[in-house]
Amino acid sequence: NTTEIEIEGPAPRVPDGVVLIDAPALTEGSTEERARAWVTLADRADGCILLAELDRAVSESTKRFLQQVREVVPHVLLVLTKMDKAFVNAVGRGGGDPWEQVEHARRIGTRRFAREVGRSPDSVLSIAVAAQAALDDPSSGLARRFEAELTKLFQLLRQERALILGTRAAAAVSRCIAG
């Protein structure tokens, strides 16, 4: 059973004009629920934010999802989670700036993701975050990094608006010609 819930009001981390749709039925649930979720996504979404753990490979179900989502959503942004583990490991290893090591881990995760989905790493927009650490200690360096990366994510979304609009327009023209 698919349910739509709308929550309005100021969301301190989500800029005006951005609507987030959580659609777990895209990969889970009955065939009918998946079909409804895909129609909703195609009708209402301009982009997709894919969450994946920093140190994990892309699963087969995620690969299938990405193949399907490319047909209905023009752009996918990658959010790598559990960055706090990479930070703790970097501090434990020593030998340089831990943030540089985290950034290096993000680049590796992005390259691995790009390889798994058959894209160039340069075409994958990604950030790395530690959401739990930001919730646990809002004054920590990890929380400040979370806020900075979230700001970066929404800046990327704003920069991609022209591409998203162009893709939507091209798809509409194609549908009209085909019709």
Side-chain angles (χ1 to χ4, degrees), residues 11-168:
R13 292 186 171 96
V14 180
D16 289 339
V18 173
V19 176
L20 300 177
I21 301 170
D22 183 12
L26 292 172
T27 57
E28 303 167 359
S30 72
T31 303
E32 185 179 310
E33 289 173 324
R34 284 196 309 272
R36 273 197 312 265
W38 280 106
V39 167
T40 300
L41 188 68
D43 289 346
R44 297 182 58 194
D46 293 325
C48 178
I49 300 171
L50 178 71
L51 301 176
E53 289 187 21
L54 182 62
D55 61 350
R56 299 248 173 130
V58 178
S59 70
E60 288 303 315
S61 64
T62 300
K63 287 181 195 178
R64 284 191 303 276
F65 167 76
L66 288 167
Q67 290 300 329
Q68 290 176 294
V69 81
R70 278 190 236 180
E71 297 172 15
V72 296
V73 176
H75 213 79
V76 177
L77 298 167
L78 176 63
V79 175
L80 296 165
T81 62
K82 312 276 191 212
M83 182 265 294
D84 48 335
K85 291 180 182 178
F87 181 78
V88 168
N89 291 340
V91 169
R93 280 191 305 271
D97 180 9
W99 293 116
E100 277 292 321
Q101 293 179 48
V102 167
E103 180 58 21
H104 180 70
R106 184 199 60 78
R107 287 191 303 269
I108 289 171
T110 302
R111 280 195 307 266
R112 184 173 51 235
F113 174 83
R115 183 180 59 243
E116 293 282 348
V117 299
R119 291 178 61 189
S120 163
D122 295 336
S123 71
V124 176
L125 302 174
S126 69
I127 64 169
V129 297
Q132 189 62 49
L135 290 170
D136 290 345
D137 184 3
S139 65
S140 71
L142 290 171
R144 287 190 299 278
R145 173 73 179 233
F146 177 84
E147 294 294 335
E149 289 295 289
L150 204 57
T151 299
K152 180 176 151 185
L153 173 72
F154 289 119
Q155 285 173 342
L156 290 170
L157 284 172
R158 279 192 293 280
Q159 291 169 359
E160 295 300 309
R161 280 186 179 159
L163 292 174
I164 291 166
L165 179 60
T167 302
R168 285 266 186 216

